[in-house]
Amino acid sequence: MPAPMEPPVSPPPPQPAVPSRAELIEHLRHTRIAGDVATPRENNLAHYRALANGDRHYWFGLEFGDRWTDEQDVLAVMAERAGVVDDPGHRTGQDTIDPALTVDALERAAVRLRKAADAGERVLFATGHPGGLLDVHRSVAAALRAAGCHIVRVPLGLVADEGVVVQLADVAMHERGATLWHTHSPEPMRAILDALPRHGEPLPDLVCADHGWAGYAAQHGLDAVGFADCNDPALFLAEAEGTLSVTVPLDDHVVNPRFYEPMTAYLLAQAGLTG
């Protein structure tokens, strides 16, 4: 009986060309990852107000005490760090993310990724936006693994928010009813960080995440790089306070997740993690 034939091996997909800084800024604007974003001004202001009023849903696992009780103070940080319109009188309509600030933050994140690669650090990846940012995190995880980092494996059977924590393509996510969920909750990250010591595993040296996954990790004292939309002020406030290392401003769920590929290519190239 002849030996079974090996299935053909598909070549890896072509990697997107690395854009220049100017090209990336134009791409971010064109795809509305930054520039005139889809999130309306009234939604941004409602979230800033909710955070200032102490609604912990918008704190993303961070602890702000009474430091951010004025909506206008939150708006000022968001104008500085994300590039939203800084006029308090602008209450409805279009709002913005400054693409130059997005690229600046990517360059700061690249410095931290390079440090992780040089030291062979333990890195944990997680996303509350699997429909948008999963492949961004997956690509960075693959590059860091190739550079010698240890990508943290999440213990099995972790439960949070009436669902479970799963890990696909090296990225932790929240699953309910066989569906990957969009979540702002810090509870899935809490479940991971509580479980790792129980399983004899050290905590990560670096967390790359978004939403409450990044916020809880930073509040827990871990070095964290986060991605955040302009209606999610918590991570920007945490960066302003020095709790979180870098927050990258961007629309975190544009119509086509492949639009993030040039941004990811730029991030990896800046970190020296290509090729």
Side-chain angles (χ1 to χ4, degrees), residues 48-63:
Y48 304 167
R49 187 178 313 114
L51 182 146
N53 288 339
D55 186 337
R56 286 180 172 270
H57 175 76
Y58 297 97
W59 285 20
F60 285 12
L62 292 150
E63 294 296 333

Side-chain angles (χ1 to χ4, degrees), residues 123-125 151-155 165-173:
V123 188
L124 173 63
F125 290 85
I151 306 305
V152 173
R153 286 174 64 85
V154 173
V165 179
V166 298
Q167 188 173 33
L168 304 173
D170 287 329
V171 184
M173 291 167 283

Side-chain angles (χ1 to χ4, degrees), residues 11-43:
Q15 297 300 306
V18 178
S20 67
R21 179 184 170 94
E23 289 169 340
L24 180 57
I25 286 174
E26 180 55 32
H27 171 79
L28 296 173
R29 185 178 287 114
H30 177 72
T31 57
R32 301 185 72 184
I33 294 172
D36 289 343
V37 292
T39 309
R41 176 68 166 192
E42 47 268 45
N43 183 261

Side-chain angles (χ1 to χ4, degrees), residues 106 133 136-137 209-211 225-229 235 248 250 263 267:
L106 290 169
L133 298 180
V136 175
H137 292 298
D210 47 68
H211 287 179
V225 170
F227 296 86
D229 209 328
L235 300 189
V248 179
L250 80 179
M263 180 193 81
L267 172 62

Side-chain angles (χ1 to χ4, degrees), residues 97-233:
I97 293 174
D98 184 341
L101 292 179
T102 303
V103 179
D104 288 346
L106 290 169
E107 291 169 354
R108 296 196 304 276
V111 173
R112 185 60 188 87
L113 295 179
R114 184 68 253 167
K115 177 183 175 183
D118 289 342
E121 290 183 343
R122 292 172 52 83
V123 188
L124 173 63
F125 290 85
T127 185
H129 243 303
L133 298 180
L134 171 57
D135 202 49
V136 175
H137 292 298
R138 178 205 62 79
S139 298
V140 177
L144 284 180
R145 183 190 295 280
C149 287
H150 176 89
I151 306 305
V152 173
R153 286 174 64 85
V154 173
L156 297 175
L158 302 186
V159 176
D161 293 333
E162 300 180 348
V164 296
V165 179
V166 298
Q167 188 173 33
L168 304 173
D170 287 329
V171 184
M173 291 167 283
H174 188 238
E175 180 189 274
R176 290 177 63 182
T179 301
L180 298 176
W181 275 62
H182 169 215
T183 177
H184 290 185
S185 173
E187 293 307 312
M189 181 58 79
R190 184 196 304 270
I192 294 172
L193 299 185
D194 287 349
L196 287 172
R198 292 200 307 268
H199 287 77
E201 294 287 337
L203 294 179
D205 301 302
L206 174 65
V207 172
C208 294
D210 47 68
H211 287 179
W213 303 83
Y216 184 82
Q219 187 63 47
H220 200 72
L222 301 179
D223 213 358
V225 170
F227 296 86
D229 209 328
C230 57
N231 64 349
D232 293 332

